[in-house]
Amino acid sequence: MGRLVIVSNRAPSVDGAGDSGGLVVALKDALSQQGGLWIGGAPKQSENPADELNFHQRPDFEIALFELEPELYRDYYLGYSNSVLWPALHGRVDLIDVQPHYSAAYRKVARRLARQIARIVTHDGMIWVHDYQLIPLAHELRKLGVTSRIGFFLHIPLPDLQTFKAIPEWQELAGCLADYDLLGLQTQRDLGHLINIFRHTLRGELRPNGNMGINGREVVLGCFPISIDVRGFRQLAVDGAARTAPPSVPRLIGVDRLDYSKGLPQRLLGYETFLSQNPEFCNKVGLLQIAPPTRDDVDAYKAIRSDLEHLAGRINGRFGTIEWTPVQYIHRALPRDDLAVLYRYSRVGLVTPLFDGMNLVAKEYVAAQDEADPGVLILSQFAGAAEEMSDALIINPHDPQDVADAIRTALQMPLAERRQRHGALYSHLEKHDVAHWSAAFLKRLLAIEKADAEWLERFARLEPVSRTG
Ligand code: ADQ
C-alpha cells in the first residue's frame, strides 16, 4: 500500500511543539505506520514563495510546507475561506463578504498546491484532504492525472441547499466535492444536506449502499463524528487536579474560540436570566469564560469581542459584589493541561453554539470529569456533538429561558443522575475516540479500489494541463 498523505491548510509544527491539538494526535499513528506525509501551509507567508514543497523529516512522519504570498493568502484564507465559506456554511449568510478576487485566489491556491502535490504522489497512495479551505483540491489533482484515492473530511457543518446557494460559486463547489472518492461529514444532519445538494445540483442518485451515483461514478459518503484522545485528556485532568485546589464556589465554564458561531452572547444572556430569576445562587456560583481571539483581521469578528465584554460588564455591574464577580472572562488561549483541570473543577460545562460541525469542547469537558462526582454538560442542539451526546442537557441556545432553566437543573441535579448521565456519555466517548474516527475514515478510503480510469480520462480530455505548468 502506498503512502498516506494528509493535506490541510495548516501543517503541524516541524519540531512537534503543540502536537497535543486534536488532529495531530488523531493522525500521528496512521502517519507513522505508513511513512506518511503531512502537507500544509507554512506558518509565515513569503513575498517570493517557492514553487516546490519544502520538506522536513520529523521522527514520526514527514512534513511538507507550501508557501503563499501575503496577498494571495489574505484573499484565499481571510477572504474566501473565512469571509465567504465559513459564514455561509455556518448559516450566517448575512455575514458573507463576496469579492471576485477572493474566489479567484481560492481556486489559485488549490491549483498551485495540486501541481506541487502531483509531482510527489504515487498511484497507490491515499490522499486525505481536510476542510473547507481546500475543497477544489481533488478536482485540480484529477486534472493533472493523479489516480490516487482522494478523501475529504469537512470539519464544519454543511447547511441546507438554500443556504448553500448563497455562495455564488455553489454549483462549482458541489462539482468539486463530487470529484472526491470519499466524502466524510461530522453528522447525519450534514450528510442529509450533502445528499440533497448533490441531488439538486448534479442529479445525484442515492444508491442502496448509501453512496451517491453522480455522472456515472460512485462517490462514497460517510458520517464520521470526530472526537478527542479521551483517555489522554482524562489523564491530564486527573494529574492536574492532584496539583491544584478546587475553586471556592461551584463554577460554570465556557471555552471557545471567539467566533460568532459559538453563541457566546446568547450564553451570557442565558446566564443573566438565570441570575435574575434565581437570586439565591448569587454569590454561590460563577461563570468562567475562556475565549481566545481568532481571525481578528476579518471584520465580522471585530464586533464579537466588544459585544461579549459589554455583556460581561453589564452582568458584573448588575449582580456583582465586592466579594463576588459573576463572570470571569479570559481573552487568551491556555495550555491544554490547565484547561483539563479547569473543566474537571467546573460543575457545569456550557457549550452553546448556534451551529457547529462537532464541538470538541463538549467531549473534553466530559472526558475531564471525576466519575465519582461529575459535572453536567449543557449542550446546544445545533452542535454536531448533540447527535451522539443525548445524555447532556440539550438546549436551544437562542432561548435564554431554556439556557437559564438548564443551568438551574444542572446545579441542582442529584449525584445519582449526574453519575448516570456522565457514565453514559463517557462510555460512548471511550469507544468513539479520535483514533476510532481516523481509523474508520481511512478504512473506508482504503476499501475504495482506485479512481475510475474512464472517468479520469474524461477529466484529462476536458482540461489538459501540464504537470509543471
Ligand atoms: P473549532 O471551531 O476550533 O473546530 P472545537 O471543536 O470546539 O471548535 O475545538 C476547539 C479546540 O480549541 C478545543 O480542543 C479546545 O480545547 C481548544 N480551545 C478553545 N479555546 C481554547 C483556549 N482558550 N485555550 C486553549 N485551547 C482552547 C472546528 C469545527 C468544530 C469541530 C472541530 C474538529 O468548528 O465543529 O469540532 O473543527 O473537527
Side-chain angles (χ1 to χ4, degrees), residues 36-259:
L37 172 68
W38 192 317
I39 301 173
K44 287 214 173 91
Q45 289 79 54
S46 155
E47 290 295 348
N48 291 305
D51 192 35
E52 302 270 322
L53 293 167
N54 188 355
F55 289 86
H56 302 265
Q57 185 64 53
R58 290 180 25 154
D60 38 8
F61 56 88
E62 201 173 12
I63 290 191
L65 301 176
F66 61 90
E67 287 180 339
L68 299 175
E69 301 85 332
E71 202 179 325
L72 180 61
Y73 175 79
R74 209 177 50 231
D75 292 345
Y76 141 79
Y77 182 73
L78 296 173
Y80 199 74
S81 300
N82 287 316
S83 302
V84 178
L85 291 181
W86 178 276
L89 298 184
H90 283 88
R92 290 299 305 271
V93 292
D94 56 316
L95 296 178
I96 297 178
D97 177 14
V98 174
Q99 307 279 349
H101 56 288
Y102 286 174
S103 57
Y106 183 72
R107 290 307 293 260
K108 185 173 178 178
V109 168
R111 259 197 314 277
R112 190 193 284 179
L113 185 56
R115 273 206 311 274
Q116 298 176 350
I117 295 175
R119 294 182 196 131
I120 58 158
V121 288
T122 54
H123 168 74
D124 57 348
M126 287 198 297
I127 304 176
W128 184 0
V129 180
H130 287 263
D131 232 358
Y132 62 103
Q133 302 93 348
L134 297 172
I135 291 173
L137 194 58
H139 181 83
E140 299 298 337
L141 286 165
R142 294 308 187 205
K143 282 190 342 200
L144 299 173
V146 171
T147 55
S148 322
R149 281 156 289 198
I150 313 180
F152 177 81
F153 184 76
L154 184 66
H155 288 256
I156 68 174
L158 191 67
D160 59 68
L161 176 67
Q162 287 311 315
T163 309
F164 189 67
K165 279 180 160 180
I167 305 168
E169 298 76 20
W170 64 280
Q171 282 168 304
E172 214 176 309
L173 286 172
C176 287
L177 282 168
D179 289 331
Y180 285 92
D181 297 306
L182 168 61
L183 286 170
L185 297 161
Q186 299 272 27
T187 56
Q188 293 295 339
R189 166 194 75 187
D190 300 344
L191 194 55
H193 291 157
L194 180 64
I195 291 169
N196 213 23
I197 289 168
F198 278 157
R199 274 191 178 132
H200 283 83
T201 319
L202 303 167
R203 296 212 186 98
E205 280 172 24
L206 190 62
R207 304 224 163 123
N209 62 3
N211 297 332
M212 207 83 197
I214 299 174
N215 293 332
R217 75 184 264 275
E218 184 165 285
V219 181
V220 180
L221 308 183
C223 169
F224 304 92
I226 198 169
S227 190
I228 59 165
D229 172 15
V230 176
R231 292 202 184 96
F233 201 79
R234 179 181 179 280
Q235 198 54 49
L236 273 186
V238 170
D239 295 347
R243 294 190 304 264
T244 329
S248 51
V249 292
R251 188 169 57 209
L252 286 70
I253 191 166
V255 175
D256 316 73
R257 283 184 308 99
L258 193 46
D259 192 292

Side-chain angles (χ1 to χ4, degrees), residues 186-187 223-227 358-359 363 379 383-392 394 424-425 428-429 432-433 436:
Q186 299 272 27
T187 56
C223 169
F224 304 92
I226 198 169
S227 190
M358 178 53 56
N359 196 299
K363 297 189 172 182
L379 180 60
E387 271 190 16
E388 290 172 275
M389 303 180 83
S390 54
D391 284 286
I394 305 292
L425 289 168
H428 173 85
L429 284 189
H432 299 88
D433 65 359
H436 178 271

Side-chain angles (χ1 to χ4, degrees), residues 155 186 257 262 290 292 332-334 356-360 364:
H155 288 256
Q186 299 272 27
R257 283 184 308 99
K262 303 290 181 186
I290 305 170
R332 62 171 184 281
L334 295 183
D356 216 334
M358 178 53 56
N359 196 299
L360 296 178
E364 290 168 356

